[in-house]
Amino acid sequence: MAVGMDQHTGRKLTGLEELKQRINRLFKTRKGSLLLRRSWGSNMPELIDAKVTDDFRLDIYAETAATLADPANEIFDEFKLHRTVLSGDLENGEVVVDLEGEYLVNGELVTLEGIRL
């Protein structure tokens, strides 16, 4: 289980809180933008400004699955995605996903809610 620091308060994070923060950061980091880790990140930033259509929703689902499964992002060995639920006020640019899956550290089925893209 990873240990991290809350990006807003500086308090220690472990378990699902730390994983959720890491996934949130992962989705907001453009792939190729980190100098020493070019393969880390996602293509989500390119999708966020797109017009909201059925294709947009499909692209979000596909990029979510691809990003979490990519070994370079170091999430695949802690969380196995089963379902993505898209929510938020999409028409006004608020894109939020809830991720349902298995927390592989202990085999528990979990929902990571409110991940803002």
Side-chain angles (χ1 to χ4, degrees):
M1 175 171 29
V3 176
M5 182 187 311
D6 185 286
Q7 62 190 9
H8 300 292
T9 66
R11 74 178 173 89
K12 180 180 174 181
L13 289 179
T14 60
L16 292 174
E17 283 184 321
E18 191 277 336
L19 178 64
K20 181 178 175 181
Q21 179 176 279
R22 206 159 21 114
I23 290 172
N24 199 342
R25 188 178 319 117
L26 175 64
F27 285 156
K28 291 180 179 180
T29 303
R30 188 178 308 271
K31 192 171 269 201
S33 66
L34 296 180
L35 188 58
L36 298 176
R37 295 188 70 191
R38 295 283 184 193
S39 60
W40 195 88
S42 76
N43 295 315
M44 206 66 82
E46 283 109 34
L47 300 176
I48 295 306
D49 291 332
K51 186 174 180 179
V52 177
T53 63
D54 287 338
D55 286 344
F56 169 80
R57 286 176 170 78
L58 184 60
D59 289 344
I60 293 290
Y61 293 136
E63 184 58 29
T64 298
T67 298
L68 295 177
D70 186 344
N73 293 326
E74 301 169 357
I75 299 292
F76 74 99
D77 59 346
E78 287 182 59
F79 184 75
K80 182 178 180 183
L81 181 66
H82 292 183
R83 182 173 178 230
T84 302
V85 178
L86 190 59
S87 62
D89 186 0
L90 298 177
E91 299 303 324
N92 289 317
E94 180 186 40
V95 181
V96 178
V97 294
D98 297 337
L99 305 175
E100 298 175 5
E102 183 179 355
Y103 186 45
L104 299 174
V105 172
N106 61 11
E108 182 180 353
L109 294 177
V110 297
T111 300
L112 302 174
E113 297 178 329
I115 297 176
R116 296 187 183 284
L117 304 181

